Structure formats: C-alpha cells, structure tokens
Amino acid sequence: MKVIVVGAGVVGTMHAWHAVERGHEVVHIEREAEARGASLRNFGQIWVSGRAGGEELDTALRARELWEGIGARVPELGFRAIGSLTPVRNALELAVAEAALARPDAAARGYKLLTADEARAHNPALRGAFEAALFCERDAAVEPRTAQLALREALLASGKYTFLPNREVRDVIGENAVRDDHGQTHTGDAVVLCTGAWLGGLVREIAGEIPVRRVRLQMMQTDPLGEPLTTSVADADSFRYYPAYASEALDALDSGQAQDPTAAAHKMQLLMVQRLDGGLTIGDTHEYEHPFAFDTLEDPYEHLTRVVESFLGRPLPKIRRRWAGVYAQCTDTSRVVHRRQVRDGVWLVTGPGGRGMTCSPAIAETTANELGW
C-alpha cells in the first residue's frame, strides 16, 4: 500500500510512522521546509494527568505507552518518564487534589498526594512555599523542537519513506490523489490530511466548515536553570482548565478563590518542563476569539514569572525566547480529534487541541486501524 500524508507536524508524522511500521510506502508532503506550527510551539509534555475519563484518557494512556516504545527506538526524541507535580497552597486547592485521588481512574493516571517535604525530595528544585503536591507518575516529556526531525530520520532509514518539503497541496484529484503547487500529482491507496490549524484553503474547499476552532497561546523559554527540574510542574490553575479535576471541590475553589486577574483575563495556567539543555519551557495562555493579535503581551509573562519563582524559591533564569502559537481544537472538546472521510480515499484528521503532542501516536494508530492499513 502507498499512503500520502499531508502535513509534517506531530500528528502527520505519527501517521507516517504507523504506515511505515505496517510495511507501507509513505509520501509525506509539507508546505514549509519543516513543520513550524503547534507541534513545535508546545511543552513536549505527554500529559495524562488532566485528561477527561473515558475515550480521552484511554487515548492518552495508549499514546503514553506508544511514546515510550518509540522513544526506546529513537533516543533522539528525548523521551523521559518524569511525571508531574502540581503544588497546592491551601485547603481549597488541597481538596481538589484529594478529589482527584478519589476518581476511579486515579490509579491508571498514577496519582499520589505528596507532602511538601516528599515533593521536594522528589524534585529538589521546588524550594518555595506550598503545603502538598499532586504527583502524576504517568506524565512524561519529549523534545518538541526536534521530535519530528528525529522521527523523520528514523523513517528515512526504513527505505519506505519520502519527504517532500516546500510543497503546498492545492487540490484533491479524483480518488486517493492530490496535486501540489509544483503541479505534481501524488497518487496512493489512501490520503490523510493532517493539516493542524490550517483550516482554510484546501480544507474548506473539500470539507466545508468543520467543527474545529483555532486557539492561540503564548509561551516562553529560559536559559538553563543550573540544576535539574526532575518533574514537569503545574499550578492549581490547571485544576480549573483540565477536565479530570471537575468535582464539587473544584466548584468550591472557583467560588471561594478568585483567579489572579491576569490569569483570568488570559485563561491561564502554569505548565513548566525542563528541556534537555536545562532551560525551562513555561506557559501558557488561551485565546479563542478571532482575529488573533499579531503581537504578544507582557502581562502573562510577568504573571508566569511570579508563579514560577514562588515555586522555585529563586529568581527565574533569563528568558531566552517568547512565542505565540495556534492549534486546532474540536469545538466539542470531549472529542479527541476530528477524523472524517472527505473524499473517496481521502481522510481529514485535525483538531486534537492541546492534546496533539500527547495523543498523536494513538490518534494515528486509530486511523491506521480504521483504514485497514
């Protein structure tokens, strides 16, 4: 079988990976020299802890298993089974963590409530003030800026993979074929469009208006911390954002503890992961209303800096990079992804939202299974 994959972000690359793994030939088309969208502009977190139960959690857990296996074969991914800590500072926040522990799927997520001393023993960089921390053993990390490159090198070594950069697909031609802006037609047994947040142009022409929206976020990265941050770190605002923490305790937190005005205005939470070079990737904000701003705002970065410094108990290293990114999210946020056949032999796969990096291996595996690869 020959599979045409359009889009070289992490979702498209994982579709190529599964096709090659099953013995098929892949032609992978990317409109830029390298993917430059949300697949790079994220934390590199394999984030199980906050996922909704049911299909979303099952997908995240399967993806976590796949990431670990792929990481063993492609060490350049930088896969680390580091887990995560969410420090809590008062009774309201602690009650949300305790409610999470009472979930029937808590063991599958690897939840454990640690005292402050236990959390610091697990992650000595957390020298700030907090009362306890929710640990999630199943969370992990990879390097987002280089993951697709590492996977592509492994795919090229298979002899079954061709990468065609700087080509924008303009048309779907009949069955199982697309034409690019070089005038070349690519024909296979299946075409999978993994277009990320590119929802206009070809996608609109062949699929119309789909139930997927674009979301913009701001993030930053620092110089090396100078010591290991042995887990990823979240703050209690992540309880407000992730569906796994929905509970009466969360309702009490929402009503009894107002979010910081900057965090509320920009729909913020803290997520923080250390890169292999020692720097910290820190975010993030959420913007849903179009048109998006073309510039970044400083207030969210100042808020994140204050929160991080309060957990570390020390000044944040110099900020090296700031950026904004846009990802595609199903408008029904309970859906893991929008997967739909849009023409004979042509499927559109988009809209995983902030779950793209986490869930991409399992999303692609499901596509491969459903298409009978």
Side-chain angles (χ1 to χ4, degrees):
M1 179 183 288
K2 183 177 182 180
V3 179
I4 312 298
V5 178
V6 178
V10 69
V11 173
T13 302
M14 283 297 181
H15 279 80
W17 178 272
H18 279 284
V20 168
E21 283 288 284
R22 298 177 187 213
H24 306 307
E25 179 185 355
V26 171
V27 175
H28 199 179
I29 306 171
E30 166 58 38
R31 63 178 177 163
E32 301 197 59
E34 304 287 352
R36 295 173 58 83
S39 295
L40 278 71
R41 306 178 198 193
N42 67 76
F43 298 93
Q45 286 181 306
I46 315 306
W47 191 249
V48 174
S49 51
R51 302 300 172 202
E55 180 188 4
E56 183 175 335
L57 179 59
D58 290 344
T59 302
L61 288 170
R62 174 58 179 159
R64 168 64 170 76
E65 178 183 1
L66 290 168
W67 270 117
E68 186 165 11
I70 297 169
R73 294 172 55 187
V74 187
E76 295 81 6
L77 287 175
F79 176 86
R80 288 102 69 197
I82 56 176
S84 70
L85 284 169
T86 304
V88 297
R89 289 173 160 154
N90 56 49
L92 286 172
E93 295 176 0
L94 178 61
V96 180
E98 291 172 336
L101 284 170
R103 291 181 60 99
D105 54 21
R109 301 171 190 268
Y111 281 159
K112 185 178 180 181
L113 190 62
L114 305 182
T115 67
D117 286 344
E118 289 171 337
R120 292 189 187 98
H122 199 75
N123 191 340
L126 298 178
R127 300 184 182 92
F130 56 92
E131 292 188 2
L134 181 65
F135 177 63
C136 179
E137 181 270 337
R138 298 301 293 162
D139 289 337
V142 295
E143 293 300 290
R145 290 177 179 263
T146 57
Q148 284 79 244
L149 302 179
L151 289 168
R152 188 179 309 138
E153 288 300 313
L155 287 166
L156 287 167
S158 72
K160 295 179 178 294
Y161 174 82
T162 301
F163 181 58
L164 300 177
N166 297 309
R167 293 173 182 253
E168 183 172 330
V169 170
R170 293 290 183 83
D171 300 294
V172 173
I173 309 298
E175 297 182 10
N176 308 333
V178 296
R179 183 168 60 220
D180 66 29
D181 58 357
H182 292 218
Q184 186 174 354
T185 298
H186 308 274
T187 303
D189 298 286
V191 175
V192 184
L193 305 175
C194 301
T195 56
W198 178 39
L199 304 177
L202 175 69
V203 173
R204 183 173 290 116
E205 289 176 9
I206 65 173
E209 296 295 331
I210 61 175
V212 175
R213 63 180 177 178
R214 300 169 79 237
V215 182
R216 182 179 184 266
L217 72 163
Q218 288 185 205
M219 297 174 62
M220 62 183 178
Q221 188 167 329
T222 73
D223 278 343
L225 181 63
E227 63 180 319
L229 186 77
T230 57
T231 69
S232 59
V233 176
D235 72 348
D237 279 340
S238 67
F239 292 156
R240 307 175 195 263
Y241 182 76
Y242 283 106
Y245 304 117
S247 63
E248 292 183 359
L250 179 61
D251 294 339
L253 174 67
D254 286 336
S255 62
Q257 179 173 304
Q259 198 173 13
D260 177 274
T262 297
H266 297 280
K267 301 176 177 62
M268 297 182 67
Q269 60 178 337
L270 168 70
L271 296 177
M272 176 169 61
V273 184
Q274 189 170 45
R275 303 271 63 92
L276 290 178
D277 70 358
L280 304 176
T281 300
I282 300 169
D284 63 350
T285 65
H286 299 87
E287 183 180 352
Y288 301 99
E289 297 300 323
H290 294 203
F292 295 140
F294 66 87
D295 50 3
T296 60
L297 297 175
E298 193 63 20
D299 286 353
Y301 293 116
E302 293 175 352
H303 169 77
L304 290 169
T305 297
R306 289 193 298 271
V307 175
V308 171
E309 290 181 344
S310 72
F311 286 148
L312 297 179
R314 53 169 283 187
L316 191 66
K318 180 181 178 181
I319 297 171
R320 181 192 303 170
R321 301 184 179 98
R322 305 175 192 268
W323 67 88
V326 177
Y327 61 79
Q329 179 187 56
C330 291
T331 52
D332 177 358
T333 56
S334 67
R335 294 187 60 187
V336 173
V337 73
H338 178 78
R339 183 187 293 106
R340 173 185 160 199
Q341 184 172 359
V342 292
R343 295 281 177 86
D344 289 341
V346 182
W347 285 261
L348 174 65
V349 183
T350 186
R355 299 170 289 212
M357 200 69 176
T358 295
C359 294
S360 56
I363 289 170
E365 181 183 59
T366 299
T367 302
N369 291 341
E370 290 186 359
L371 272 57
W373 294 356

